[in-house]
Amino acid sequence: MIERPRGTNDFIPPESILREKIIKLISEYLKIFGYKLIETPIFEKSELFKRSVGDTSDIVLKEMYEFKDKKGRDLVLRPELTASVVRAVIQNRLYNNNHLKFYYIGPIFRYERPQLGRFRQATQFGIEYLGNPSFLADFEIIFLTQNLYRYIFNNFNIKNIEFKIHINSIGCNNCRPNYKQKLYEYFVNYEKDLCQDCQKRLNSNVLRILDCKNMVCRNISLNAPKSVDYLCLECKNHFENLLNLLKMNNINFVIDNYLVRGLDYYNRTVFEVKTILDNNTIDLAGGGRYDYLANFIDNNYNIAGCGFAGGLERLTLIINNYNPQKSFNMIKILFSLISEQKGLGIFKYLLSTIENINTNANLLKDNYSFYFSIDNSLKSALKLANNMDLDYIIFIGEQEIEKNIFQIKNLKTGKQKEFSLNEINLLVKNINDFLDKLNR
Ligand SMILES: [Zn+2]
Ligand SMILES: [Zn+2]
């Protein structure tokens, strides 16, 4: 047996159907707000991430899948997408000093210890808003992140979700060097107590000590200087304007002084969106502003940017745990019709109705799938339905035609009901109503 590599997944039904549905919801929602799909290669030059994410970040130091191709070029399976999107914007000359809005969904690769909801190949989705340095863009991103998740959860009947935004400002190239110096002066007093990684970070990337998970480092960090106390006037105004706008719109946030996010390209706003379900705090997504990223990639460019990214696997895990109805399962319906003139006529009619399904948004939304069989007995139709694990059977046999009726049977509950054959022209369009009448 050759098994799949550690930390990867096969997505099989019903999981694959759930994923498909979420992806559809994501693109549906983001399009309304003017975001357009962008797709970039799964592998990029290593240099792209070393320069942008930063060569002292955990991602670049420990987690990248790097390889050389047959010509000896240094390539990497992309560990994230923001750098790729900005690279694509520059390379395709998309930037014309206007606002650009993109969304993406695709795999990322990180060599890390696999754990619940975390894999070596993971699916990330997110948005990037380029060309707008104003706090209004930061607000739009945070607002959209929260509401995109709300939209998806509502679609799976997970209601009354509370979100909490953790937010911080890590300043700009004018004010951050001073803050880093203050951090260094603070942490150097505890050099011997810090974990090995943080001892290295002290000289290479002192900011990253703040989000170390080690308990000793965390305790030392509690009294460390806060970035918000060292912001220059411009950064301070940007942050305060953003917070005011969040307040005005009743968005629940806390200032998290030790939120820095582990990527070098962030400046000013960094944030994480969390939710509380059954007393568990769950991280949903994170993001921030990255006004220097374009310049890291090509120093002819300066493009302001802001975005977020979230994980699809984590989201499906939550929906699987909390969706009360498991409504992502397709409702599978078998039409079973007798092979005589009238039965075949109805068969042709139903097929043409279903062919026109594109105009029937309700049907698509509710995830029905239809199957057909031509059977002369209910018995043989039931056998087929059982083998295929179907939910309903709609049966029109000899007796039914005689009595001018058709039968609908719920195969999971055994309930069965007769309807007038005169109503057959309403059946596909109003399938919800028919099933309600049967199940009630
Ligand atoms: Zn600043
Ligand atoms: Zn540490």
Side-chain angles (χ1 to χ4, degrees):
M1 174 62 201
I2 303 168
E3 294 178 343
R4 61 170 185 265
R6 190 165 141 79
T8 62
N9 278 300
D10 302 310
F11 296 108
I12 54 175
E15 177 89 1
S16 55
I17 297 166
L18 172 61
R19 288 168 62 88
E20 192 182 25
K21 182 160 180 183
I22 296 172
I23 289 169
K24 204 175 131 234
L25 291 170
I26 293 170
S27 55
E28 198 172 275
Y29 187 81
L30 294 174
K31 269 183 215 154
I32 296 171
F33 292 90
Y35 288 79
K36 298 198 172 81
L37 179 68
I38 188 164
E39 292 187 84
T40 58
I42 281 171
F43 60 92
E44 297 267 6
K45 292 181 178 165
S46 304
E47 216 189 334
L48 175 64
F49 301 103
K50 287 182 178 157
R51 277 210 236 161
S52 59
V53 174
D55 49 17
T56 60
S57 66
D58 277 6
I59 293 178
V60 170
L61 277 179
K62 300 178 188 167
E63 296 170 359
M64 287 211 298
Y65 275 91
E66 288 182 272
F67 61 100
K68 280 185 193 295
D69 70 3
K70 289 184 179 175
K71 288 260 170 77
R73 288 174 280 235
D74 289 312
L75 300 171
V76 56
L77 297 179
R78 65 183 182 199
E80 60 115 52
L81 271 99
T82 302
S84 298
V85 170
V86 174
R87 196 248 334 117
V89 164
I90 294 171
Q91 188 164 0
N92 294 286
R93 299 174 204 279
L94 299 178
Y95 187 60
N96 53 7
N97 292 311
N98 280 322
H99 296 179
L100 292 171
K101 298 181 178 188
F102 296 104
Y103 75 91
Y104 60 78
I105 305 171
I108 59 153
F109 303 85
R110 288 187 196 175
Y111 193 86
E112 54 186 345
R113 184 174 288 277
Q115 44 179 296
L116 196 66
R118 219 173 231 206
F119 303 98
R120 288 181 176 169
Q121 176 176 333
T123 315
Q124 213 169 59
F125 60 91
I127 61 182
E128 310 296 353
Y129 182 173
L130 299 161
N132 189 352
S134 159
F135 63 92
L136 292 168
D138 307 56
F139 172 77
E140 177 170 319
I141 295 293
I142 293 171
F143 178 84
L144 280 182
T145 312
Q146 174 174 315
N147 285 294
L148 170 64
Y149 276 95
R150 198 191 300 283
Y151 177 73
I152 295 169
F153 287 138
N154 281 343
N155 252 279
F156 291 99
N157 295 308
I158 306 173
K159 307 266 158 102
N160 307 321
I161 295 273
E162 303 257 348
F163 293 96
K164 188 162 236 181
I165 314 290
H166 284 233
I167 193 167
N168 192 17
S169 175
I170 53 172
C172 68
N173 280 351
N174 294 328
C175 53
R176 197 161 26 176
N178 180 33
Y179 173 58
K180 278 177 143 176
Q181 181 58 33
K182 290 285 183 292
L183 269 186
Y184 177 84
E185 285 165 13
Y186 173 81
F187 281 119
V188 79
N189 297 319
Y190 303 94
E191 185 168 5
K192 295 214 169 60
D193 305 318
L194 293 169
C195 77
Q196 283 198 337
D197 280 344
C198 285
Q199 288 183 12
K200 283 183 212 147
R201 287 172 186 145
L202 191 58
N203 292 303
S204 66
N205 196 346
V206 68
L207 220 57
R208 286 277 286 126
I209 299 178
L210 293 174
D211 65 4
C212 182
K213 299 282 178 281
N214 181 298
M215 276 320 286
V216 179
C217 301
R218 280 186 129 175
N219 281 331
I220 297 171
S221 290
L222 286 177
N223 294 311
K226 298 167 183 166
S227 57
V228 288
D229 295 333
Y230 294 88
L231 296 178
C232 66
L233 190 63
E234 284 189 337
C235 287
K236 204 173 164 175
N237 286 338
H238 190 276
F239 194 47
E240 278 174 4
N241 285 330
L242 172 60
L243 297 185
N244 280 333
L245 202 52
L246 292 173
K247 258 182 231 158
M248 274 170 59
N249 287 279
N250 298 320
I251 292 178
N252 182 15
F253 68 86
V254 285
I255 297 173
D256 183 339
N257 294 123
Y258 305 112
L259 178 66
V260 291
R261 302 194 48 81
L263 314 172
D264 277 5
Y265 56 59
Y266 285 122
N267 67 308
R268 290 191 173 160
T269 315
V270 286
F271 73 93
E272 284 177 359
V273 179
K274 297 168 195 276
T275 184
I276 298 164
L277 283 165
D278 289 356
N279 295 322
N280 298 317
T281 302
I282 301 170
D283 295 317
L284 291 176
R289 176 164 282 285
Y290 47 82
D291 296 334
Y292 306 121
L293 174 53
N295 197 265
F296 288 156
I297 296 168
D298 181 335
N299 57 22
N300 295 310
Y301 283 85
N302 283 298
I303 309 174
C306 198
F308 90 86
L312 187 61
E313 285 73 27
R314 170 147 318 174
L315 185 53
T316 56
L317 200 71
I318 297 170
I319 292 170
N320 274 324
N321 281 342
Y322 296 96
N323 168 25
Q325 294 175 356
K326 308 280 172 208
S327 57
F328 54 87
N329 279 319
M330 297 289 266
I331 299 170
K332 290 172 282 189
I333 300 176
L334 174 70
F335 290 102
S336 171
L337 303 139
I338 191 169
S339 65
E340 69 160 50
Q341 196 64 32
K342 189 143 189 198
L344 292 178
I346 295 167
F347 175 64
K348 186 171 169 247
Y349 169 75
L350 290 175
L351 267 191
S352 69
T353 318
I354 289 164
E355 253 175 18
N356 292 323
I357 246 168
N358 288 339
T359 58
N360 193 337
N362 265 334
L363 215 50
L364 287 175
K365 206 175 124 237
D366 288 320
N367 276 342
Y368 291 105
S369 58
F370 298 113
Y371 304 82
F372 289 93
S373 74
I374 303 291
D375 293 291
N376 283 320
S377 79
L378 182 57
K379 207 175 144 199
S380 65
L382 282 173
K383 197 173 161 201
L384 177 71
N386 261 333
N387 288 340
M388 294 174 70
D389 192 29
L390 303 185
D391 300 293
Y392 293 93
I393 185 164
I394 293 172
F395 184 74
I396 305 173
E398 207 173 323
Q399 283 180 18
E400 281 73 18
I401 285 178
E402 231 167 69
K403 289 161 72 181
N404 199 41
I405 56 159
F406 63 95
Q407 310 267 10
I408 307 183
K409 182 170 184 160
N410 183 331
L411 296 164
K412 305 280 148 139
T413 65
K415 274 192 179 177
Q416 189 169 337
K417 195 172 164 64
E418 293 179 1
F419 295 88
S420 163
L421 206 50
N422 301 334
E423 289 183 273
I424 195 87
N425 59 335
L426 301 170
L427 178 63
V428 172
K429 256 190 164 169
N430 302 311
I431 190 85
N432 275 334
D433 298 344
F434 281 88
L435 298 184
D436 280 351
K437 276 182 199 157
L438 165 68
N439 290 325
R440 135 183 347 150

